[in-house]
């Protein structure tokens, strides 16, 4: 029904948004950082991504649409998609501030923190040696302490 709705009225952001949410749910179980074998899941995730992006382009003042797209990318197993969620959640914050919707503003602020954490998480516990080599530090942060 939603696919026919977007074919009939391409400029309806609500139909695109709902189409994206339904396909996101359809592909959620198979989404992971590993290889996705099921072509139906890949197709559902592609449709979800495209549909939510189109919805945000048709209604750039909708904080809800931006938040959903940001969450979709934040839950990805790929750091590049998680990184792109920062700009999208920034758009959600701007839209929520303009409309004065405090609930969406709080949700956008929370998601901003989550996006920043995911950005940090990608490089946490890493360091460079004197010769420029990257190393992974201990996960438990049990550094030897000086006994001075």
């Amino acid at each position: 029904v939603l696919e026919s709705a977007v074919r009939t009225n391409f400029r309806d952001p609500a139909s695109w948004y709902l189409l994206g949410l339904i396909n996101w749910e359809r592909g959620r179980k198979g989404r992971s950082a590993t290889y996705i074998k099921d072509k139906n899941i890949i197709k559902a995730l592609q449709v979800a991504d495209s549909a939510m992006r189109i919805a945000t382009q048709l209604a750039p003042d909708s904080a809800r649409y931006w938040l959903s797209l940001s969450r979709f990318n934040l839950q990805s197993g790929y750091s590049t998609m998680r990184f792109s969620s920062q700009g999208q959640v920034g758009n959600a914050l701007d839209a929520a501030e303009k409309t004065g919707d405090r609930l969406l503003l709080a949700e956008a602020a929370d998601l901003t923190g989550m996006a920043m954490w995911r950005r940090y998480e990608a490089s946490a516990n890493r360091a460079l040696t004197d010769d420029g080599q990257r190393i992974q530090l201990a996960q438990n942060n049990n550094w030897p302490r000086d006994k001075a």
Side-chain angles (χ1 to χ4, degrees):
V1 171
L2 285 170
E3 287 172 354
S4 67
V6 296
R7 275 191 292 258
T8 304
N9 185 6
F10 183 80
R11 305 206 51 72
D12 179 22
S15 295
W16 281 110
Y17 176 68
L18 293 173
L19 181 66
L21 291 181
I22 287 172
N23 279 283
W24 180 10
E25 187 58 36
R26 284 182 49 216
R28 190 183 304 263
K29 292 181 216 164
R31 191 176 191 186
S32 67
T34 60
Y35 181 75
I36 301 172
K37 298 176 187 174
D38 188 348
K39 290 180 183 179
N40 292 326
I41 291 174
I42 294 170
K43 179 70 174 166
L45 292 172
Q46 287 174 331
V47 171
D49 182 52
S50 297
M52 285 192 283
R53 286 178 191 277
I54 291 169
T56 60
Q57 297 310 304
L58 293 173
D61 58 340
S62 173
R64 175 66 53 208
Y65 295 176
W66 284 112
L67 283 170
S68 293
L69 180 59
S70 181
R71 254 194 206 93
F72 176 79
N73 286 324
L74 198 58
Q75 292 176 1
S76 172
Y78 299 99
S79 61
T80 53
M81 288 184 74
R82 288 192 307 263
F83 186 78
S84 72
S85 72
Q86 283 185 304
Q88 295 154 357
V89 78
N91 292 337
L93 261 173
D94 292 343
E97 285 175 348
K98 286 177 187 173
T99 61
D101 188 330
R102 292 179 186 229
L103 181 61
L104 285 176
L105 185 59
E107 201 173 328
D110 181 52
L111 197 58
T112 299
M114 290 169 54
M116 293 302 289
W117 175 255
R118 293 282 168 82
R119 182 176 177 184
Y120 163 75
E121 197 175 42
S123 61
N125 295 321
R126 293 189 184 164
L128 295 174
T129 60
D130 290 339
D131 59 353
Q133 297 292 317
R134 295 180 184 175
I135 60 170
Q136 182 72 35
L137 302 175
Q139 292 294 329
N140 58 8
N141 293 328
N142 286 334
W143 285 91
R145 301 198 191 279
D146 292 333
K147 300 198 181 198

